[in-house]
Amino acid sequence: IAADRKAGLFVAVLGFSEVVELGTGNWLVSYLRGAHGMGADESAQFLSLFFVAFTIGRLIGGYLMERLGYVRGMRWFIVLTVVLYASAMAMGLSGAWLISAAGFFISILFPTVMAIIMKEYPASTSSVMGFIITASGGVNMVFNWVIGQTSDLLGVTAGFGSLILYALLVIGFLALLDRRLVFNKGR
């Protein structure tokens, strides 16, 4: 499985999706407090709102992906995530709610990748999925550490802002993966 380039692209898409998802959970409060001086209670509320939007997205996102198409839907959702994060960073403190709203769009990335894997590897779904989930967890672990190091060296705004770069990587790797997918070529 490790030699399969398509599986490697799945790892990159899922891994950097996890970096954006879990990186927000790990670093949002630090960003709001460190860059904007927001209090602990208020910054925790924005994180809670992120997870409320995330939960709503998980609930109805599958329906939206079925209507939009898996890859097209993921593309739109990650682009909207980039737009929301970049707008929030540009607006400063008044844009914090945009990060919370982005939870809706981030939520469906992981389940949609799982659905694509099931369609793309019908004979060996469990083995491939196990490999991809494990390797993408490694990507997430390393790059969340990088976010922490970036925050230490360049400040919390640069660290949290790097999530935009990782979301852009999802877009790039998703485009490369889409060229190799077999299940959706007939549509």
Side-chain angles (χ1 to χ4, degrees):
I1 298 170
D4 179 4
R5 289 186 179 167
K6 184 169 35 178
L9 289 170
F10 271 112
V11 168
V13 168
L14 186 61
F16 286 109
S17 294
E18 289 177 8
V19 171
V20 177
E21 175 186 321
L22 298 172
T24 302
N26 290 338
W27 301 105
L28 179 59
V29 171
S30 295
Y31 165 68
L32 293 174
R33 295 191 74 199
H36 301 295
M38 187 181 283
D41 289 345
E42 191 178 6
S43 58
Q45 288 175 352
F46 279 104
L47 182 60
S48 294
L49 288 174
F50 172 84
F51 284 113
V52 167
F54 186 92
T55 301
I56 293 168
R58 281 270 166 102
L59 179 64
I60 65 174
Y63 173 80
L64 295 172
M65 290 297 123
E66 293 289 336
R67 298 292 176 257
L68 293 169
Y70 293 152
V71 175
R72 181 185 306 142
M74 283 184 66
R75 190 176 296 121
W76 276 104
F77 275 40
I78 196 67
V79 166
L80 289 169
T81 298
V82 168
V83 168
L84 289 174
Y85 274 60
S87 298
M89 301 289 293
M91 292 171 65
L93 190 56
S94 63
W97 68 274
L98 294 173
I99 297 168
S100 296
F104 179 86
F105 300 105
I106 294 168
S107 69
I108 200 59
L109 300 177
F110 185 95
T112 304
V113 170
M114 295 299 106
I116 294 170
I117 292 168
M118 286 188 273
K119 290 184 177 287
E120 196 67 15
Y121 296 97
S124 57
T125 302
S126 295
S127 298
V128 173
M129 198 176 283
F131 173 81
I132 291 169
I133 290 171
T134 302
S136 67
V139 170
N140 175 51
M141 180 178 55
V142 168
F143 282 92
N144 264 283
W145 176 82
V146 170
I147 292 170
Q149 295 302 306
T150 303
S151 294
D152 287 346
L153 294 171
L154 303 175
V156 292
T157 301
F160 191 79
S162 69
L163 291 173
I164 296 168
L165 169 65
Y166 301 131
L168 290 170
L169 288 174
V170 173
I171 294 168
F173 286 122
L174 184 60
L176 294 173
L177 176 62
D178 188 31
R179 293 182 193 158
R180 294 181 178 267
L181 294 176
V182 175
F183 85 94
N184 65 349
K185 295 304 180 204
R187 293 200 250 163

